[in-house]
Amino acid sequence: MATYDFVFDALGLRGWCGEASTDTDAPMSMDELLAQSGGGGGGAAPAVSLWELPFPSMDALNDACAAFPQSRELTQGLERGFLNAKDAMSFVLDPLTQPLSWALESALYGILTTPWWIVIPILMAITWFVSRSWGLLAFVTLSIAGLAFIDHYDYAMQTLAIIFVCAFICVLIGVPIGIAMSRSDSFQNGAIPVLDMLQTLPPFVYLIPLIFLFSVTEPKLYGIAIILYAIVPVIRLTNLGIRMVDPHVMEAAEAFGMTRRQKLYGVQIPLALPNIMAGVNQTIMMSLAMVVIASLVSAPGLGVLVLRGIRNLELGVGLVAGLGIVILAVILDRVTKASLARINAQQKS
Amino acid sequence: MKQTRDDKRTTVEIRHLYKIFGDDPKGALAHVEAGMSKTEILKEHNHVVGLNDINVEVKDGDITVMMGLSGSGKSTLIRHLNRLIEPTAGEVVVDGDDIMAYGDEALRRLRREKMSMVFQNFALFPHRTVLENAALALAVRGVKRADYEDEARRWLDRVGLGGNADQYPSALSGGMQQRVGLARALTSNAPIMLMDEAFSALDPLIRTDMQDLLLELQAELSKTVVFISHDLDEALKLADHLVILKDGYVVQQDEPQAILMNPGDDYIIDFISDINRARVLRVRSVMRATAQPQPNVAGQVHPEDTLEKVIAISGGETGLRYAVTDDEGRQVGILEMQDLVRALVPTGASESGMRTRASA
Amino acid sequence: MRVNEVLVPGGVEGWWIPTYLAEEHPELTTLEGIMENPDLVGGTFNNCPDGWGCRVVNDNLIRAIDLESSGLDVFNHGSGETLATSMASAYENEEPWFGYYWGPTVPLGQYDMTKVEIGEVDPEVHARNQNPDSDNPGVSDFPAAPILTSVTADLADREPQVVEFLGKMEWETDTMSSLLAWMEENNANAEETAVYFLRNYQDTWSGWLNDAARENLSALLQQG
Ligand SMILES: Nc1ncnc2c1ncn2[C@@H]1O[C@H](COP(=O)(O)OP(=O)(O)OP(=O)(O)O)[C@@H](O)[C@H]1O
Ligand SMILES: [Mg+2]
């Protein structure tokens, strides 16, 4: 009946294949229905020319042998496997990631309940502290005031709070991972494919298992999604930065009897700092890029407005919110770059 | 009377040291011991022989210079003294202890307290000020800035960088940076100083300055210095004991004057053929040692005077004879100008005619 | 060109709790009951994502009845998927859940949910509640939404028979939901579901066809 019948006949597996079941509840395709009704006698399949030969895929083989699994059973199997492991995984991961939920909740709560006339000066102070630049300070102040003026203050602050928390955690976790990678070639070789995967996998794909693992109303859901995506550059650049530290300088450190700790904190991290800061800058930018996607799993902030704009084709809402994200991006980029420049200047001077 | 080499205490002794680079150094070691050459081992077993049965005694208070051409294994050798490189076989004994038996902690103590190091490329910490760099050894030991500052400033002053303490290394010229490197080694107050081509990266004039500075400091401090160089003039100027390396083995080691007068083989002859012998050979190497006064002496010279100086004194007259007297005015020998002139011709060249450059 | 209302009684939307919860605590089937016992429904109202029509209505209802005064948190979902997942995972774990949903949909077919009575349906109030800037939102349950079969005038001209068939085609919302649920459970595609429908819901479709067609189809199915 089907193209690949001969494979099973030749292997003597016809018996194993069995007859197609007649259970009315089993899924049946329109073709099968028609084939059945065509019924009884001359069921010989029309000869298939070589030109139209189907690839011997799982589905094509299933046509020839009902016992052969269809490809959708592969995806189903994957799903079942994940669901079976799910309870064990969430038992471990849930408490482990709980602090992330708390951090996000309290950051969001804190930034929204604190009056704007306290929050804005704090942001200005941070800007000044890291950049020491009047121009940048003025730019940041005007940008935030502008966002507040068009009534996007709350949304922008929510986004900012989420990014602060996520970027902070990225640094907290990413820098040690980067250091570990710089110390062990085998760990580096193992970690790089994972990092590549995190960066190339569409974020939606790892959102799916996350949704299964955790309660969807938990902020950590989007927290983890953002962190997984944004942590990559800080890990990569920490690793790179430490590996790029002049080997002669490291040899001198060794020759003067520095301990591993002294070398790490006294030489490697300070010398890798420009690279690490470049990684932090990238990480912040990537968290911001994830904000809209994170809003699909209920992250508050400007992303919500962008989604509203898309869903209702409210062009204006989407554009203004998008512009808000761009402004935040520029602010964060300038501020981190300014602090990077300051570190560089210090080492070069 | 000057102390002879045998009277001096041995600070560092290198015994039967081998270093082979490659995947299976131990396996290749057997071939090296069986007498295979560096080229054969590289070709047939794909291993690089870095050091081949090195035996050197470094005497207390001496400047021991290890010299050889590029790739002869100098850097590899000096890095064994503080175990920056682990040997394939052999021992390094420092003050009676085999440092190969040291654990991490003991090794760190050795590096912090007994040995300091100066590098060819300076290897200063770019993120620390000149003062902090100079004080590295003290900071590593946990001394607070307030306590190390005076000491570090003192040594910076001594190497002539008193005014640059708060600058960063990148603001200094190469010569100044190496002065910081020297100050860093001195501040550690370690009795042994390892210097890997410390002056090779500097301009010739600055290099001479630094050599003079080192000799001046050495006269004052009497450290045990192991100095690596590929420059024969520098080696002859600084060395109390000269070790000549080739392809990872020691070709000849002796007092420099002795090597000049009695080169061990053709390689050395070739090696020393280009130097200005009048400027490096000293009277004591050419004189006939005798306390017997001789007639017709044209004057008195000092055993440490260079031949160049004596030629100047003699006005080029070759028939003269000088009495050699030491600091106390006692006669220690007689210098015949004829011997002096003969000594100016490289020893091996006249005998074997093997000078490659002359025959080419 | 409207042909027919395909679903009877039409699309349902509203606020729901799982039936097991309703059976255990019958008082939770009314809004008052829920507002008195917010903890029994998990303390959270699962709201629509921003940008959805229901979000506006829900927000107005929430304002009108002052839902949050009862101690319930309103959780604004970011997408329909998380809204559905929250319901599904609560149901699978037999946990309390309270929120908005609509049918006919896979989840409502798959999970047995009970509608919470919000109050009378008042079309005028409901219309007011659909305005995001409404000054005086009121309390009104969601009216059933008509789900229409529409065709272009062009098709009606070309294929009068097909359009006549479409004009007769209608089924119950429940049937639709259970078909969707069957499809989800068996991981089947739309075509396979259509076959399943033909083979198992003859009563439903037999009224849609003229006699000749009905006989043809029955004969075809009989042979199987
Ligand atoms: N890590 C290593 N792996 C393999 N071979 C090495 C390694 N380090 C040194 N060698 C080899 O050992 C030999 C000695 O090298 P070394 O650096 O000690 O020479 P050097 O005398 O210091 O030369 P230079 O004057 O160029 O500094 C060379 O043939 C070199 O190629
Ligand atoms: Mg070297």
Side-chain angles (χ1 to χ4, degrees):
Chain A
M1 271 196 353
T3 323
Y4 287 99
D5 277 348
F6 71 91
V7 176
F8 295 94
D9 294 339
L11 291 173
L13 290 172
R14 186 47 64 197
W16 168 72
C17 289
E19 283 307 305
S21 79
T22 46
D23 178 5
T24 50
D25 270 4
M28 190 189 208
S29 75
M30 204 58 98
D31 285 346
E32 280 167 348
L33 185 71
L34 292 175
Q36 258 184 29
S37 52
V48 177
S49 77
L50 196 61
W51 192 251
E52 289 166 342
L53 184 75
F55 187 84
S57 66
M58 293 176 79
D59 283 355
L61 291 172
N62 172 271
D63 277 348
C65 171
F68 198 87
Q70 275 179 293
S71 55
R72 71 174 168 217
E73 280 165 58
L74 176 81
T75 49
Q76 258 176 305
L78 265 179
E79 187 179 323
R80 262 196 305 277
F82 177 76
L83 288 180
N84 289 340
K86 172 194 120 171
D87 283 345
M89 276 166 75
S90 64
F91 182 76
V92 177
L93 291 179
D94 216 15
L96 213 62
T97 50
Q98 203 52 43
L100 177 58
S101 274
W102 294 330
L104 284 167
E105 266 162 14
S106 36
L108 287 169
Y109 179 81
I111 209 159
L112 285 190
T113 44
T114 314
W116 62 267
W117 43 266
I118 295 181
V119 173
I120 295 183
I122 288 179
L123 292 175
M124 288 166 64
I126 295 175
T127 308
W128 173 248
F129 181 74
V130 300
S131 71
R132 300 288 152 89
S133 147
W134 286 112
L136 193 58
L137 184 64
F139 172 71
V140 169
T141 313
L142 284 178
S143 303
I144 295 178
L147 283 171
F149 185 70
I150 55 170
D151 283 301
H152 278 54
Y153 174 82
D154 279 3
Y155 293 105
M157 287 306 125
Q158 284 171 331
T159 296
L160 212 53
I162 292 172
I163 284 166
F164 278 158
V165 170
C166 291
F168 179 73
I169 292 175
C170 283
V171 173
L172 210 63
I173 302 174
V175 169
I177 294 179
I179 292 171
M181 273 173 73
S182 71
R183 293 194 165 188
S184 152
D185 283 341
S186 51
F187 182 56
Q188 176 183 250
N189 293 340
I192 281 182
V194 177
L195 297 183
D196 289 343
M197 194 190 77
L198 285 179
Q199 253 180 339
T200 44
L201 212 60
F204 291 106
V205 175
Y206 52 79
L207 276 179
I208 300 170
L210 288 179
I211 288 176
F212 276 98
L213 281 180
F214 307 121
S215 158
V216 290
T217 52
E218 289 273 5
K220 67 182 169 193
L221 191 61
Y222 59 82
I224 294 175
I226 295 177
I227 289 171
L228 281 182
Y229 185 66
I231 199 171
V232 179
V234 72
I235 296 181
R236 275 194 210 279
L237 283 160
T238 302
N239 175 34
L240 185 75
I242 291 185
R243 279 176 186 267
M244 280 189 356
V245 169
D246 184 355
H248 295 120
V249 171
M250 287 310 293
E251 187 176 49
E254 185 79 24
F256 280 89
M258 283 181 129
T259 59
R260 273 171 81 92
R261 231 186 134 71
Q262 285 173 326
K263 279 187 280 184
L264 180 64
Y265 291 109
V267 186
Q268 290 174 306
I269 291 185
L271 289 184
L273 205 55
N275 273 304
I276 296 177
M277 282 307 295
V280 171
N281 171 278
Q282 289 294 302
T283 286
I284 291 179
M285 291 297 108
M286 290 178 71
S287 338
L288 203 51
M290 272 292 281
V291 150
V292 175
I293 289 167
S295 286
L296 283 175
V297 280
S298 319
L302 291 167
V304 173
L305 295 185
V306 173
L307 287 183
R308 182 198 295 174
I310 294 170
R311 286 184 180 132
N312 296 358
L313 297 181
E314 291 176 20
L315 188 63
V317 174
L319 277 183
V320 171
L323 192 70
I325 292 179
V326 171
I327 289 177
L328 285 188
V330 175
I331 290 177
L332 291 168
D333 185 55
R334 288 296 134 78
V335 172
T336 44
K337 286 246 177 75
S339 65
L340 177 63
R342 238 159 50 89
I343 292 169
N344 274 334
Q346 222 168 43
Q347 288 195 355
K348 292 279 140 48
S349 69
Chain B
M1 188 69 216
K2 214 182 158 194
Q3 242 189 337
T4 68
R5 184 168 161 83
D6 292 336
D7 301 336
K8 293 186 198 164
R9 197 170 62 84
T10 300
T11 311
V12 181
E13 188 177 358
I14 303 163
R15 291 189 197 140
H16 302 297
L17 194 69
Y18 290 88
K19 176 66 189 181
I20 294 157
F21 296 102
D23 301 330
D24 177 23
K26 294 275 180 212
L29 180 63
H31 301 294
V32 177
E33 281 172 332
M36 252 178 149
S37 78
K38 178 169 173 154
T39 359
E40 284 170 334
I41 300 247
L42 181 61
K43 218 198 274 166
E44 287 171 34
H45 302 281
N46 202 20
H47 280 66
V48 178
V49 180
L51 296 175
N52 184 350
D53 196 15
I54 306 283
N55 292 279
V56 174
E57 284 183 24
V58 175
K59 297 290 185 180
D60 186 40
D62 268 5
I63 298 181
T64 303
V65 177
M66 318 241 178
M67 77 159 294
L69 300 176
S70 186
S72 56
K74 309 176 299 280
S75 298
T76 310
L77 178 55
I78 201 170
R79 277 165 180 70
H80 277 84
L81 301 186
N82 56 0
R83 262 179 73 187
L84 287 177
I85 298 180
E86 297 287 332
T88 308
E91 292 170 10
V92 174
V93 179
V94 177
D95 291 339
D97 278 3
D98 178 9
I99 65 165
M100 295 309 156
Y102 278 4
D104 280 355
E105 186 51 47
L107 185 59
R108 261 202 302 277
R109 211 170 321 118
L110 173 86
R111 289 172 181 170
R112 288 178 180 187
E113 287 159 21
K114 275 206 181 138
M115 288 182 180
S116 57
M117 198 160 180
V118 184
F119 299 87
Q120 175 171 8
N121 34 48
F122 323 141
L124 300 177
F125 290 3
H127 60 298
R128 297 198 183 172
T129 61
V130 166
L131 180 82
E132 288 162 345
N133 265 289
L136 176 67
L138 297 178
V140 166
R141 287 176 217 168
V143 180
K144 292 275 161 293
R145 187 184 171 105
D147 301 323
Y148 69 56
E149 196 164 339
D150 286 347
E151 180 75 0
R153 277 190 198 282
R154 188 161 73 83
W155 287 112
L156 282 175
D157 281 341
R158 187 67 192 76
V159 299
L161 286 180
N164 305 79
D166 296 319
Q167 283 178 309
Y168 282 88
S170 52
L172 306 183
S173 70
M176 290 160 95
Q177 290 192 28
Q178 194 57 304
R179 283 168 195 262
V180 180
L182 200 54
R184 175 169 73 176
L186 293 169
T187 309
S188 96
N189 212 12
I192 304 171
M193 214 154 86
L194 309 178
M195 305 178 77
D196 183 7
E197 306 212 24
F199 306 146
S200 299
L202 306 177
D203 299 339
L205 278 180
I206 298 171
R207 195 188 310 172
T208 314
D209 279 353
M210 292 295 283
Q211 289 160 357
D212 294 338
L213 175 65
L214 178 65
L215 287 174
E216 207 181 295
L217 286 164
Q218 179 62 1
E220 206 175 293
L221 305 167
S222 291
K223 301 240 183 216
T224 305
V225 179
V226 178
F227 193 100
I228 300 285
S229 176
H230 62 235
D231 173 1
L232 188 58
D233 288 313
E234 181 175 70
L236 294 170
K237 178 171 176 183
L238 299 176
D240 293 309
H241 184 70
L242 179 60
V243 181
I244 296 179
L245 291 170
K246 181 194 173 196
D247 291 348
Y249 65 90
V250 176
V251 191
Q252 187 175 12
Q253 56 174 319
D254 208 332
E255 199 238 348
Q257 299 281 313
I259 292 180
L260 286 179
M261 297 305 293
N262 303 301
D265 69 2
D266 297 339
Y267 178 74
I268 308 272
I269 291 168
D270 198 29
F271 210 85
I272 60 177
S273 62
D274 277 342
I275 55 155
N276 179 349
R277 294 170 68 89
R279 186 168 295 164
V280 289
L281 280 176
R282 294 175 191 274
V283 168
R284 64 178 158 87
S285 308
V286 197
M287 71 183 187
R288 185 157 41 84
T290 171
Q292 246 13 186
Q294 295 279 318
N296 307 330
V297 289
Q300 293 186 343
V301 292
H302 192 271
E304 293 300 323
D305 284 343
T306 60
L307 301 191
E308 195 175 44
K309 187 173 170 191
V310 180
I311 293 169
I313 293 170
S314 71
E317 187 68 59
T318 53
L320 298 179
R321 164 186 297 164
Y322 289 92
V324 184
T325 52
D326 67 10
D327 296 336
E328 280 92 46
R330 275 182 310 225
Q331 180 185 321
V332 292
I334 292 294
L335 175 69
E336 305 283 354
M337 279 304 281
Q338 274 178 346
D339 291 343
L340 184 152
V341 174
R342 217 174 286 133
L344 290 179
V345 182
T347 330
S350 51
E351 287 163 10
S352 66
M354 275 286 295
R355 284 198 57 203
T356 42
R357 223 155 298 170
S359 59
Chain C
M1 194 181 135
R2 286 184 175 201
V3 179
N4 191 16
E5 288 194 8
V6 65
L7 284 177
V8 186
V12 282
E13 51 181 335
W15 294 4
W16 307 75
I17 56 171
T19 300
Y20 53 76
L21 199 62
E23 278 162 7
E24 202 180 332
H25 304 283
E27 71 273 19
L28 294 182
T29 51
T30 63
L31 207 49
E32 295 76 45
I34 287 179
M35 288 179 67
E36 274 160 29
N37 307 294
D39 290 340
L40 289 183
V41 292
T44 302
F45 173 71
N46 289 274
N47 200 3
C48 293
D50 208 330
W52 287 18
C54 57
R55 171 65 177 273
V56 177
V57 179
N58 284 348
D59 283 351
N60 280 322
L61 276 172
I62 289 164
R63 264 203 295 156
I65 58 185
D66 199 5
L67 188 72
E68 281 169 299
S69 69
S70 67
L72 276 167
D73 288 331
V74 173
F75 185 82
N76 298 322
H77 278 273
S79 59
E81 287 72 20
T82 64
L83 176 61
T85 315
S86 73
M87 183 167 104
S89 73
Y91 198 96
E92 305 266 330
N93 299 325
E94 296 237 347
E95 280 164 6
W97 187 85
F98 171 46
Y100 171 89
Y101 219 80
W102 76 102
T105 45
V106 175
L108 275 196
Q110 208 171 3
Y111 306 118
D112 191 3
M113 304 296 287
T114 299
K115 204 161 178 245
V116 173
E117 284 170 32
I118 299 173
E120 293 292 299
V121 176
D122 181 337
E124 196 191 316
V125 173
H126 187 70
R128 252 195 284 136
N129 282 353
Q130 281 171 322
N131 173 7
D133 301 317
S134 176
D135 297 332
N136 54 338
V139 180
S140 157
D141 212 332
F142 292 83
I147 305 229
L148 302 174
T149 307
S150 303
V151 296
T152 57
D154 187 38
L155 184 73
D157 288 346
R158 267 191 297 129
E159 302 280 356
Q161 273 189 317
V162 171
V163 176
E164 188 201 332
F165 157 71
L166 288 176
K168 288 190 199 155
M169 188 176 92
E170 62 181 38
W171 54 34
E172 283 172 27
T173 309
D174 280 352
T175 309
M176 182 72 192
S177 285
S178 52
L179 280 177
L180 287 172
W182 180 88
M183 179 169 166
E184 168 80 14
E185 248 165 55
N186 290 286
N187 239 303
N189 58 30
E191 191 193 284
E192 285 163 341
T193 313
V195 173
Y196 171 78
F197 171 74
L198 288 177
R199 290 169 56 153
N200 293 285
Y201 288 82
Q202 304 209 349
D203 297 346
T204 313
W205 56 257
S206 53
W208 303 350
L209 305 171
N210 60 34
D211 293 345
R214 182 162 51 241
E215 250 155 54
N216 273 345
L217 189 52
S218 304
L220 197 144
L221 288 170
Q222 228 64 96
Q223 282 189 353

